[in-house]
Amino acid sequence: MNRMMVIGTGSALPARVLSNEDLEKMVDTSDEWITTRTGIKNRRIARLGEETSMLAASAARNALAMARLSATDLDMIIVGTITSDMGMPSCACLVQKELGATNAFAFDINAACSGFVYSLDLADKYVKADPGLKILVIGAETLSTRTKWDDRNTCVLFGDGAGACIVTGAAGNQGLLASKLFSDGSLYKLLYMDSAPSMNKELFRTENDGSYIKMAGKDVFKYAVRCMEGAVMTVLEREQVSIQDIALVIPHQANIRILKSLAERLGVADEKIYINLHKYGNTSAASIPIALDEANREGRINPGDFILLCAFGGGFTWGAVLFRW
Ligand code: UT7
């Protein structure tokens, strides 16, 4: 049976670090509050001109190198993002331009923090139809451009970055086993952002033009835990795989308390949940592919391992993907 396999991963983070101590100087907060309530210590912030598409293209180059492919080998580019450089064209088309991926077609997926999981699910359908396709799947964001930097409720949470993977078809029993997506638009007001994105926004902007992220944190927290648990159980049951057989869960990195609560509800040991949000904060669609790349390069993922990805975000959107690596 042909399944979709990941043959290369990559990530890219802006060099600029914004620490909890830096934030203490900007709003009425403390390292202690941020650490205990979120688990975040640092986040990366893109410089002016360091657009989402630039980060996405850097991550893609790293993934292409691992896959030993060149950009012209790509048939398709999907970018999960809610912070594309421009309203039009898509971030994916800008990535195509940047890479010189002249044989690909390219488009974005808007599914907020679930953008990468949604994009993988879609790529899987294409690969099932044509196993020879080489698809670049990216999650990339510059949430710093949509953060209200004088709102302590949200400004401590978000960061910028990009992660990518190259997928293609492979015979055998490895690859994507199951994926399941969900959404519930009726709850959108609990987490949303009004305006269309645009390039070259000033960093740390605070004008009240509505273009920043608004969130009812406590409600989102509860839905995130319940929905990710439900999505994970759905794919496990579908494939008759026990949670105890999972080598690593790579969840969307939003809050350490969400991840611990998820681990507890699933009955999985904390060390099987991959965590890097202390370094990068919540990078929305980028968080899972960045974590996947780090876990892969750290040797935490081995051939034959069952790997679970799960996400939850604005929309609401959520979902899970199960791989046998
Ligand atoms: O990526 C998409 C999914 N997003 C998420 O999953 C995020 C989910 N939500 C969360 O992670 C948490 O709800 C937050 C981290 C956003 C907030 O944590 P919380 O434990 O729900 O805190 P809270 O909003 O209930 O605030 C508790 C207190 C409030 O003060 P009072 O009213 O009790 O006096 C806040 O004003 O903490 C205060 N507070 C802060 N204090 C210091 C809120 N933000 C801060 C801050 N520093 N940065």
Side-chain angles (χ1 to χ4, degrees):
M1 181 181 178
N2 268 302
R3 294 192 196 279
M4 184 181 86
M5 278 191 75
V6 175
I7 56 169
T9 61
S11 54
L13 281 309
R16 180 181 188 175
V17 178
L18 186 72
S19 68
N20 291 351
E21 290 72 21
D22 295 328
L23 282 159
E24 284 175 353
K25 294 175 198 136
M26 294 164 61
V27 288
D28 180 16
T29 191
S30 64
D31 172 49
E32 198 267 333
W33 192 96
I34 302 170
T35 305
T36 53
R37 295 293 181 117
T38 73
I40 300 165
K41 283 291 198 185
N42 293 297
R43 63 290 289 145
R44 301 297 181 89
I45 305 292
R47 290 186 182 282
L48 215 57
E50 197 173 21
E51 312 291 358
T52 302
S53 65
M54 299 292 163
L55 293 169
S58 297
R61 284 188 196 98
N62 294 333
L64 283 166
M66 188 187 283
R68 297 176 195 278
L69 292 176
S70 60
T72 50
D73 295 322
L74 294 171
D75 299 293
M76 182 171 168
I77 301 172
I78 314 177
V79 180
T81 187
I82 50 166
T83 53
S84 182
D85 307 8
M86 306 168 80
M88 180 184 71
S90 66
C91 187
C93 282
L94 296 172
V95 171
Q96 175 189 28
K97 170 188 79 74
E98 197 61 32
L99 296 177
T102 46
N103 298 314
F105 67 98
F107 60 92
D108 289 356
I109 293 285
N110 178 336
C113 305
S114 311
F116 183 73
V117 162
Y118 266 55
S119 301
L120 272 184
D121 176 83
L122 188 62
D124 182 51
K125 308 303 187 262
Y126 272 88
V127 166
K128 281 207 170 74
D130 183 353
L133 292 179
K134 308 249 177 333
I135 307 179
L136 169 59
V137 183
I138 300 176
E141 306 281 12
T142 48
L143 289 179
S144 64
T145 61
R146 314 294 194 281
T147 299
K148 193 170 191 299
W149 286 102
D150 61 1
D151 175 11
R152 70 174 185 173
N153 291 296
T154 52
C155 78
V156 301
L157 303 173
F158 303 118
D160 303 336
C165 67
I166 313 289
V167 295
T168 191
N173 65 357
Q174 283 171 279
L176 190 149
L177 303 179
S179 59
K180 178 70 180 141
L181 307 180
F182 304 84
S183 59
D184 184 350
S186 70
L187 297 167
Y188 87 91
K189 282 209 165 158
L190 296 175
L191 177 55
Y192 70 99
M193 185 170 76
D194 287 315
S195 77
S198 73
M199 267 175 161
N200 298 324
K201 291 209 169 170
E202 290 294 330
L203 295 183
F204 306 133
R205 60 207 295 281
T206 57
E207 317 89 271
N208 189 359
D209 68 355
S211 67
Y212 49 83
I213 296 166
K214 300 169 188 80
M215 179 167 72
K218 272 203 192 313
D219 294 324
V220 175
F221 190 112
K222 284 181 213 149
Y223 279 106
V225 175
R226 270 189 248 138
C227 291
M228 283 196 287
E229 181 197 8
V232 163
M233 294 318 293
T234 303
V235 294
L236 289 179
E237 277 162 21
R238 192 178 283 180
E239 288 301 307
Q240 296 288 295
V241 172
S242 155
I243 189 73
Q244 306 313 327
D245 295 331
I246 300 297
L248 196 61
V249 184
I250 304 183
H252 169 50
Q253 309 280 309
N255 184 316
I256 189 74
R257 292 182 294 133
I258 291 178
L259 303 189
K260 286 196 183 295
S261 181
L262 181 67
E264 198 180 306
R265 288 172 80 123
L266 291 174
V268 70
D270 279 1
E271 57 270 20
K272 282 194 177 180
I273 305 271
Y274 192 83
I275 293 168
N276 66 0
L277 97 161
H278 53 291
K279 296 190 285 186
Y280 310 129
N282 179 347
T283 57
S284 183
S287 88
I288 292 177
I290 293 170
L292 181 66
D293 181 48
E294 289 197 348
N296 195 19
R297 287 172 194 268
E298 287 163 6
R300 298 271 310 266
I301 305 178
N302 296 299
D305 280 354
F306 286 114
I307 305 295
L308 253 174
L309 315 181
C310 58
F312 179 86
F316 287 148
T317 57
W318 66 102
V321 175
L322 175 65
F323 278 101
R324 189 188 284 113
W325 205 256

